[in-house]
Amino acid sequence: MSMRIARRDENADSYMTAGHKIGFGISAASMTATWIWASSMYASVNSGYLYGVSGPIHYGLWGALMILFIYPFGKRIRKVAPQAHTLAEVMFARHGRSSQLMLAGSNILGSVISLTSNFIAGGALIAMLSPFSFIQGVIVIAAGVLLYTLWSGFRASVLTDFAQVLAMLGAVVIIVPAMFFFLGGTDLFTSGAQNLTQQQQSFFSSEAFLNQGAPYIAAVLAYAIGNQTIAQRLFAVREDLIKPTFITATVGYGATIIGIGMVGVLGLYAGITPVEGDPNNLLPQVAAEYLPGVLVALFFIMIIGSLSSTADSDLAAMSSIAMTDIYGQSMRSRGRVPNPRTMLTIGRITMIVATVAALGFANAKFNILDLLVFVGALWGALVFPVIASFYWKKVTNSAFTVSVLVALAVFIPTRFGLIPDTGLAPWIIEALAVVGVGVVLGLMVFGFFGTRAALIVGVIAAVVSAPFVFNFLRDYDTLTASLVAYAVSTIVCYAMSVRSSMEFDFAKIARRTADYDTEETAEALEAEAEADTESDAGHGAGVGAGDGARVGSRKSDDDDNDPDSVRV
C-alpha cells in the first residue's frame, strides 16, 4: 500500500498531515487504530482477569468516551489553527518557546517509550509463536514498520491504519467467541463461578472503578489532549468531518477493547494461571494453548496490526515534531524560509534515529514504567493550560510554564508514596484531589456545554466526592497523583492569568502556523537562491539571503506591530 501511494517527490505538508483533507473512512479508521495499541489489548485482558466482568468495561468504555470528549476541543483547535502540523507548533504561536518545548519534549519521549513498548510486545509474541528469538522478532517488527512508513510518512501511516483496523475488528469478532467455545462455552459460567470473588462477579465493582476506571479517566484525557499522534490526525482530517470521525472511533475502540478484554474474564472463570504469574502473559498464553493453528495466525495478525498501527503513528509524530518544531521554527524565527526538501530529509532521519533508539531500549529490556509515569504526569499537568490557551485570552506564557512545573513538583512525591501518611500533608493532598475531580469532570462538560455548565458540574462533583475522598483516597497513589496534577496546574494557571492584562488575538495563531510546501514557499526559495547568486557575483546591491527570504514572505495588515507573525 505504501509503494502504491508513494510519490517520487513527496510534499512536506502531506508527509506530516496529508494536506489537511483526509476523508471520513480513512480518518475514522486511523483514529481507531492509533488509539488501539498492543499494550491496550494486553491491559484490557489483564483488567478482566484481575477485576472480573467490569474490568474490561472500565478499561474500554472510559477510553472510548475520552475520544468522544476530545472532539469539541479538537474543533476549537482546528478552527484557530487550520494549517498547523503539531500541537507544540500551535503553543509556540500562542505562548512562546517554553510551552512548545514542554509539548514537543514530552511527545518525543512518550513516542520513543510507546515505540519501545510495541517492539517488545511484537518481539515477545514472535518468540512465543515462531522459531525466532525475541531479538530477531523485535528487529523484524521495527524494520517492517520503518520501511513502509519512511518514504511517505503520515500518508502511509493513515492508509495502512485502514487495513490494520479491519484486521483487528475482524479478528476480535472471530477470536473471542472461539475462545469462549474452546474454554467450555456456557457451562464455564456455572463450573467456574467459584474462581471469582463477589467483586469480580459484579458489574459495579468498586475495586475495578478505583483501581482501573477512575485512574484511566484522568490518564486518557491527559493522553488525548497532549499527544501528537492524536493531534496529527486532528490536523489531517477535513474540518467538517471531525465530529463523525471521533464518534465512529469511539464506537470502534470501545467494541474492540471491551471485546478482547473478555478473554481475561474467560481465563478467570476457567481458572487459568498466567505464565510466571503475570496476567500480561494471559492473552498470548490462552491463544497458543486453546486455539487451532488458523486462529492462532489470525490472533497473530490482530496483535501485529495493533502494535504496528501505533508504532507508525509514533514515527510520524516524531518526524513532524522534528520537521516543524525544530527545523521549521528555527528557520522562521530567523526570518528564513524553511526548505521543504530539507524538512523531508529531517523527517526521514528522525524516523531512523527513533527506531534505532527504541531497538536499543527493547534489546536492553529497558524498564519503561517509570518514564511512562513521568510522561503521563506531564500530559496531565498540561491539560488545563493547553485547553485554556485556546479559549481564554488572558493565559500567559509564564502562567502556562509555572503551572505545569509546579504540578509536576507535587505529582512526583504523591505518585511514589513520598507524602507522609500522618499530619497535615495527606489532608492537603486529598483536598487537591477533590479539586482535581471537579476539574476533570468540568473539562469534560465544558467542551460540549460551555463555561457555566462546566463550573456547575465541577463544583457539584467536588462537593459530592469530598466525603469519599478524605481519609480514603490516600491508599490509591496513582489516582490521587493524577487528580493532584490536574488540580495544581489549574489553580496556578488560573491564579497567574486572572489578573493578566493580556488580550490575545487568536487570529494570530492561524497566521503563524501556515503550510510549508506551497507555491509561495517555492517562489521565496527561488528568490533566495537568486539573491545568493547575485551576492556571490558581487551584484547583490545589498540583497542577501535573509532579504531574499523576506521577499518570499508576506504579512497581513494587522501584523505591523507583530514581527513574529510571518506567514510563508
Side-chain angles (χ1 to χ4, degrees), residues 163-481:
Q164 288 157 352
V165 79
L166 290 179
M168 285 187 282
L169 290 171
V172 169
V173 169
I174 296 172
I175 286 174
V176 175
M179 285 188 174
F180 175 68
F181 174 78
F182 288 118
L183 286 171
T186 55
D187 294 338
L188 187 64
F189 294 124
T190 55
S191 62
Q194 69 275 7
N195 295 323
L196 280 71
T197 65
Q198 187 174 359
Q199 284 280 327
Q200 289 172 329
Q201 294 181 45
S202 172
F203 275 98
F204 305 99
S205 168
S206 59
E207 286 186 9
F209 177 73
L210 289 170
N211 288 289
Q212 179 65 71
Y216 199 54
I217 295 172
V220 176
L221 181 60
Y223 183 91
I225 295 299
N227 191 276
Q228 170 61 17
T229 61
I230 304 301
Q232 198 163 11
R233 280 147 184 81
L234 172 65
F235 292 129
V237 65
R238 265 175 41 196
E239 195 168 350
D240 60 314
L241 296 176
I242 291 176
K243 181 178 179 179
T245 294
F246 277 80
I247 292 175
T248 305
T250 298
V251 176
Y253 174 88
T256 304
I257 294 302
I258 293 175
I260 198 67
M262 290 302 165
V263 173
V265 180
L266 295 176
L268 183 61
Y269 270 98
I272 298 173
T273 301
V275 174
E276 299 178 357
D278 185 359
N280 287 316
N281 294 326
L282 187 65
L283 182 58
Q285 176 186 344
V286 172
E289 291 182 7
Y290 293 94
L291 293 181
V294 174
L295 292 184
V296 170
L298 188 62
F299 168 80
F300 182 83
I301 291 172
M302 178 183 72
I303 300 299
I304 295 299
S306 66
L307 67 89
S308 58
S309 64
T310 305
D312 61 34
S313 299
D314 288 320
L315 290 177
M318 285 186 281
S319 66
S320 295
I321 290 172
M323 292 165 72
T324 299
D325 296 302
I326 298 176
Y327 170 74
Q329 199 60 62
S330 67
M331 293 294 288
R332 281 178 169 175
S333 64
R334 291 181 292 179
R336 301 287 300 276
V337 181
N339 189 317
R341 290 184 176 275
T342 303
M343 295 184 80
L344 285 168
T345 302
I346 291 172
R348 290 167 181 149
I349 291 174
T350 301
M351 286 192 181
I352 295 171
V353 172
T355 301
V356 172
L359 276 173
F361 291 147
N363 184 34
K365 295 187 177 180
F366 189 72
N367 186 354
I368 64 175
L369 292 179
D370 290 343
L371 287 177
L372 277 173
V373 168
F374 176 77
V375 173
L378 183 55
W379 282 337
L382 283 165
V383 170
F384 180 84
V386 167
I387 292 176
S389 296
F390 285 101
Y391 292 89
W392 195 16
K393 296 180 179 181
K394 289 182 172 294
V395 180
T396 63
N397 184 43
S398 58
F400 187 105
T401 305
V402 173
S403 62
V404 173
L405 294 177
V406 173
L408 277 177
V410 180
F411 169 89
I412 292 174
T414 305
R415 173 60 183 83
F416 293 103
L418 302 179
I419 303 296
D421 292 331
T422 58
L424 188 61
W427 293 96
I428 295 175
I429 294 298
E430 286 175 335
L432 291 172
V434 169
V435 176
V437 171
V439 170
V440 171
L441 296 180
L443 287 175
M444 292 178 183
V445 172
F446 170 73
F448 289 96
F449 303 107
T451 305
R452 179 174 295 181
L455 288 173
I456 293 172
V457 170
V459 171
I460 293 175
V463 172
V464 171
S465 66
F468 303 96
V469 169
F470 284 106
N471 205 29
F472 172 76
L473 205 61
R474 64 190 66 180
D475 295 328
Y476 299 89
D477 290 339
T478 302
L479 175 57
T480 303

